[in-house]
Amino acid sequence: MHIPSGDSRTIEILDFQDALRLSGQSGGYDSEKWLYVPDFYTEYRYILGTRGVNPLICIGINPSTAAPDDLDNTLKSVARIAAGNGYDSWIMFNVYAQRATRPDDMDRELNERLHRENMRAFEYILSHVAEGVSPAIWAAWGTIIEKRPYLPRCVQDMVELGQKYGAHWLCAGKCSNKGHPHHPLYLRKDEKTAEFDIEGYLKSL
């Protein structure tokens, strides 16, 4: 369980580029296999995933306790779905970077700086997919997007960045009655991804 120590605007936050530059220096995991930014446990997380040239980029709402070699059940499912759909790696990214096991504990108001650095992390991921490959973005946040009014705006910013890199959006499993994409938990291990109309979805929120 991770409960934030308080509003994220009250804590020190590393800029993404600074966190990336330091990544791999803390030890404790194989940095040739894992991409972990920041690479130490703290109140926020930009990126957690495995290294490859054709990753399945899974998007949740916010990170919890997972770290390299210590995946929670959600990320174990993400890894299975990525492998089962032919991707050589996976990346767990989040709409909002603040760690909180219970989404109800997330910031009540958007931390603009944290969001800005999170979008820089997202662009880094998109820009490092192999040349000629359309980045595959798996919308996988379930109904949790309803927890905070600023979350759809964060997704819209991600969509715009994705357009810059020719990304395509996917979902896995049945969407909710309101059209929310299925969370990775409780999906069959052989679940196949399908195209997801992210722009139509955002208009419906």
Side-chain angles (χ1 to χ4, degrees), residues 19-61:
L20 179 65
R21 185 170 61 252
L22 296 170
S23 183
Q25 298 183 21
S26 69
Y29 68 96
D30 182 355
S31 61
E32 293 187 1
K33 173 185 177 182
W34 294 98
L35 180 60
Y36 185 38
V37 188
D39 74 347
F40 54 89
Y41 193 92
T42 188
E43 292 282 284
Y44 58 98
R45 188 186 78 210
Y46 296 126
I47 303 171
L48 172 59
T50 55
R51 295 184 182 273
V53 297
N54 183 27
L56 179 57
I57 306 165
C58 181
I59 311 296
I61 286 296

Side-chain angles (χ1 to χ4, degrees), residues 15-195:
D15 290 349
F16 170 70
Q17 288 296 334
D18 290 337
L20 179 65
R21 185 170 61 252
L22 296 170
S23 183
Q25 298 183 21
S26 69
Y29 68 96
D30 182 355
S31 61
E32 293 187 1
K33 173 185 177 182
W34 294 98
L35 180 60
Y36 185 38
V37 188
D39 74 347
F40 54 89
Y41 193 92
T42 188
E43 292 282 284
Y44 58 98
R45 188 186 78 210
Y46 296 126
I47 303 171
L48 172 59
T50 55
R51 295 184 182 273
V53 297
N54 183 27
L56 179 57
I57 306 165
C58 181
I59 311 296
I61 286 296
N62 69 302
S64 182
T65 60
D69 299 314
D70 187 20
L71 302 183
D72 56 24
N73 287 335
T74 294
L75 269 71
K76 289 176 182 177
S77 181
V78 169
R80 287 193 299 267
I81 298 298
N85 281 271
Y87 295 92
D88 70 353
S89 53
W90 57 269
I91 290 175
M92 189 70 216
F93 190 75
N94 290 278
V95 176
Y96 197 60
Q98 183 186 30
R99 282 193 198 262
T101 302
R102 299 179 306 199
D104 285 334
D105 293 328
M106 281 191 300
D107 289 338
R108 293 288 173 183
E109 297 182 4
L110 178 69
N111 180 337
E112 294 282 357
R113 183 182 172 210
L114 184 60
H115 173 58
R116 181 178 66 248
E117 296 306 320
N118 201 40
M119 292 303 98
R120 287 174 174 161
F122 189 54
E123 184 157 20
Y124 171 84
I125 294 168
L126 295 172
S127 68
H128 281 74
V129 173
E131 185 176 354
V133 175
S134 170
I137 307 174
W138 173 16
W141 47 75
T143 61
I144 305 172
I145 196 168
E146 298 179 3
K147 291 290 183 180
R148 294 290 184 266
Y150 56 77
L151 294 172
R153 176 208 146 177
C154 296
V155 175
Q156 180 62 54
D157 290 346
M158 295 171 67
V159 170
E160 292 175 5
L161 280 173
Q163 290 170 343
K164 179 179 176 182
Y165 292 90
H168 64 284
W169 287 76
L170 304 166
C171 62
K174 185 179 179 181
C175 293
S176 75
N177 290 336
K178 291 185 178 180
H180 300 310
H182 202 292
H183 191 276
L185 276 178
Y186 312 122
L187 289 175
R188 301 191 318 270
K189 64 181 181 181
D190 61 348
E191 191 78 57
K192 296 303 180 184
T193 57
E195 295 299 314

